[in-house]
Amino acid sequence: MPHPAPRFNPPTVPFAHAPARACSCCSKPLSTGIGYEVPYIGIVGPKCVRKFAALAQALAQIDGLTLTRDDGAETHAAAHRLIFTLRLKIGYEVQILSNADGSKTLKIGARTRKHAKVCVTWEERRAEFEQDLKLASARPTGQVAA
C-alpha cells in the first residue's frame, strides 16, 4: 500500500515569497501577487505549495545523497528506482558522480520536461516516489522504513 503523502501548511513551509501574477503549476492568478518560490518547481500559489513542498524536500534530500559499497542491495535498488522515476517518470536530470573512495553521489539537475507536465506527473507518482525515498535513505543497518 502506498505511503500517504504528508500535508504541508504554507506558513510552516520554509520557502521564500516571490512576486508572481499566477501559479506556475495551475496557472490560477495570485490575488496578492505573491507566491511561494519552491526549488526545482517555480513560484506557486498557496494551494499548490502544499502539493509540491514534498517534492522540493525530496529533491533536496536526494541532491547530494551518497551511496557507498557498504550500503545494501535493497538501498542501491531503491536509489536506482528513484533515479528512474526522476528521469523518466517525473522529468528531472540526475547525474551520478563517482567519488575517489568508490562511493557515488547523486546530483539533481534541471527539468527535462515542461513545467506543466512535471506537475501532472508528480501528482501521479507522489506516493510511489516517497516510498522509494524512504528505502534509499535506509542505511546498511538492514532496517527499512515501512
Side-chain angles (χ1 to χ4, degrees):
M1 182 164 125
H3 177 72
R7 300 300 293 180
F8 293 89
N9 192 4
T12 64
V13 177
F15 301 126
H17 287 95
R21 292 184 195 166
C23 175
S24 62
C25 176
C26 66
S27 301
K28 289 183 182 177
L30 299 174
S31 60
T32 61
I34 301 290
Y36 295 90
E37 189 172 357
V38 180
Y40 308 102
I41 299 296
I43 300 172
V44 297
K47 288 186 181 179
C48 290
V49 76
R50 289 184 177 109
K51 293 187 284 187
F52 295 105
L55 175 59
Q57 289 177 346
L59 291 172
Q61 190 174 356
I62 293 168
D63 192 32
L65 179 69
T66 300
L67 299 170
T68 66
R69 292 181 181 167
D70 295 335
D71 291 334
E74 187 174 328
T75 301
H76 282 272
H80 285 287
R81 284 193 305 273
L82 283 172
I83 293 166
F84 174 80
T85 300
L86 281 171
R87 284 182 177 165
L88 300 176
K89 293 183 179 181
I90 296 178
Y92 280 94
E93 186 178 292
V94 181
Q95 295 177 353
I96 303 170
L97 307 173
S98 296
N99 300 322
D101 62 358
S103 64
K104 307 269 186 195
T105 300
L106 304 182
K107 183 72 178 154
I108 304 295
R111 285 192 318 262
T112 57
R113 294 184 183 163
K114 291 184 179 181
H115 188 270
K117 182 64 178 166
V118 170
C119 292
V120 171
T121 304
W122 169 242
E123 291 176 14
E124 295 169 355
R125 305 286 178 222
R126 185 183 209 171
E128 172 188 332
F129 188 75
E130 288 178 351
Q131 183 64 27
D132 285 345
L133 179 61
K134 281 185 169 185
L135 291 173
S137 297
R139 288 291 140 203
T141 60
Q143 297 176 349
V144 177

